[in-house]
C-alpha cells in the first residue's frame, strides 16, 4: 500500500495524525453504537445489563485496540502524510469490519457457546501479548525520529532484535488471539486478512532496511522469528 516510505509524490494527502484518527476511529465507534443500542435483559423487562460475557469481553478487546490506534497512536505518530484515497478506503474497511465484529458478537454468538474458558483465556492472553508488542514497537519507532524528521534509522530493542516488523508481528498476534477467544468466522477472517495485508509489508520493510543499511543485523527475520 503506497503510504509511509512507499508513498509517491503528488496528489492530495492528509496529515498523519488526522489520517490515522479518521481511518481507524470507525472501528471503535461503530461497535460502541451497536453496544449502546443492544440492551440485554435477563428478565425481559428491557433493563440494561452490562454482563461480562465472553462475547462482550471480546468486543471490548476489539474496541480497546482501535481506541488506542485512533486516539493515542494517532496523537503520538510522527509519520508522513497519508494519501486521501487510502484514508477513505481504510475508513470504509474499519466501518464494515467494526459492524461485522460487533454485530456477530452481540447478536450471533451466545454466551453459553463461549464458555470454553481455557481456550478463551489463551486467546485473550495472546491478544494482550500482541497488543503489548505492538504498542512497545510503535514507541521504539517513534523514538527513532525527532519531531519533524522523516529519516529512517535501524530500530533496536524489544522484539525488533528478532524481526524487522515487530509492530506488525504484534498486531498479527493480537488478532490471532482475538480469533481464538471469540471462535468466530468473522474474527478468523479478520485475523487472516490482517496477516495477508501487513505480513508482506513487514517483508518489504525488512528488504528496505537491508538495502538502506550495510550494518543491518543479518540475524533478524522479517516477520516470523528465526524463520521468515
Amino acid at each position: 500500500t503506497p503510504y509511509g516510505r512507499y508513498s509517491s509524490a503528488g496528489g492530495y494527502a492528509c496529515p498523519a495524525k488526522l489520517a490515522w484518527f479518521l481511518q481507524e476511529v470507525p472501528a471503535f465507534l461503530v461497535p460502541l453504537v451497536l453496544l449502546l443500542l443492544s440492551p440485554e435483559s435477563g428478565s425481559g423487562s428491557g433493563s440494561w445489563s452490562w454482563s461480562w460475557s465472553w462475547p462482550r469481553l471480546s468486543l471490548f478487546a476489539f474496541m480497546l485496540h482501535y481506541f488506542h490506534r485512533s486516539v493515542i497512536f494517532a496523537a503520538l505518530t510522527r509519520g508522513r502524510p497519508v494519501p486521501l484515497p487510502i484514508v477513505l478506503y481504510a475508513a470504509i474497511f474499519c466501518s464494515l469490519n467494526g459492524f461485522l465484529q460487533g454485530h456477530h458478537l452481540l447478536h450471533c454468538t451466545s454466551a453459553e457457546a463461549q464458555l470454553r474458558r481455557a481456550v478463551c483465556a489463551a486467546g485473550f492472553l495472546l491478544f494482550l501479548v500482541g497488543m503489548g508488542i505492538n504498542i512497545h514497537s510503535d514507541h521504539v519507532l517513534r523514538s527513532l525520529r525527532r519531531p519533524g524528521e522523516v529519516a529512517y534509522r535501524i530500530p533496536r530493542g524489544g522484539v525488533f532484535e528478532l524481526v524487522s516488523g515487530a509492530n506488525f508481528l504484534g498486531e498479527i498476534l493480537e488478532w490471532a488471539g482475538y480469533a481464538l477467544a471469540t471462535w468466530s468466522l468473522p474474527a478468523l477472517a479478520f485475523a487472516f486478512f490482517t496477516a495477508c495485508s501487513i505480513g508482506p509489508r513487514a517483508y518489504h520493510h525488512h528488504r528496505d532496511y537491508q538495502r538502506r543499511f550495510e550494518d543491518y543485523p543479518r540475524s533478524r527475520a522479517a516477520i516470523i522469528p528465526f524463520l521468515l
Side-chain angles (χ1 to χ4, degrees):
T1 306
Y3 69 91
R5 69 184 70 187
Y6 309 111
S7 61
S8 57
Y12 295 100
C14 186
K17 295 179 185 294
L18 180 60
W20 280 100
F21 174 79
L22 292 176
Q23 68 189 22
E24 303 286 318
V25 76
F28 171 74
L29 293 180
V30 172
L32 178 61
V33 170
L34 292 175
L35 189 63
L36 294 175
L37 294 178
S38 301
E40 287 184 347
S41 175
S43 61
S45 62
S47 60
W48 288 87
S49 173
W50 292 92
S51 60
W52 287 91
S53 62
W54 283 115
R56 283 196 167 212
L57 188 59
S58 301
L59 185 58
F60 291 149
F62 178 87
M63 293 167 61
L64 176 64
H65 170 90
Y66 279 102
F67 175 81
H68 171 267
R69 183 64 70 184
S70 61
V71 177
I72 301 175
F73 176 85
L76 296 175
T77 188
R78 297 174 181 173
R80 299 170 182 266
V82 181
L84 281 179
I86 292 178
V87 177
L88 176 61
Y89 300 152
I92 292 173
F93 168 80
C94 285
S95 299
L96 295 174
N97 189 46
F99 176 82
L100 180 65
Q101 304 301 328
H103 178 77
H104 187 274
L105 288 172
L106 291 173
H107 302 295
C108 305
T109 303
S110 66
E112 292 77 13
Q114 292 291 323
L115 295 181
R116 301 163 290 103
R117 295 189 179 277
V119 175
C120 289
F124 280 119
L125 178 60
L126 183 60
F127 176 88
L128 292 174
V129 169
M131 188 170 188
I133 293 173
N134 183 249
I135 292 174
H136 177 263
S137 301
D138 286 338
H139 170 73
V140 170
L141 292 174
R142 282 194 301 270
S143 300
L144 296 177
R145 292 177 177 172
R146 300 179 183 88
E149 280 190 333
V150 294
Y152 291 97
R153 299 182 176 87
I154 299 175
R156 300 186 185 277
V159 182
F160 278 112
E161 297 301 322
L162 299 176
V163 296
S164 298
N167 51 329
F168 300 126
L169 174 61
E171 189 159 353
I172 289 172
L173 292 177
E174 270 188 89
W175 300 125
Y178 171 74
L180 184 63
T182 62
W183 206 255
S184 70
L185 183 58
L188 177 61
F190 180 38
F192 174 75
F193 287 110
T194 294
C196 290
S197 173
I198 63 180
R201 191 169 182 85
Y203 169 76
H204 287 291
H205 276 30
H206 180 68
R207 188 172 60 180
D208 184 68
Y209 280 130
Q210 290 177 327
R211 290 175 176 174
R212 286 177 185 268
F213 306 105
E214 294 183 358
D215 59 339
Y216 192 74
R218 298 299 171 182
S219 60
R220 289 189 193 181
I223 187 65
I224 302 177
F226 313 114
L227 293 177
L228 177 63

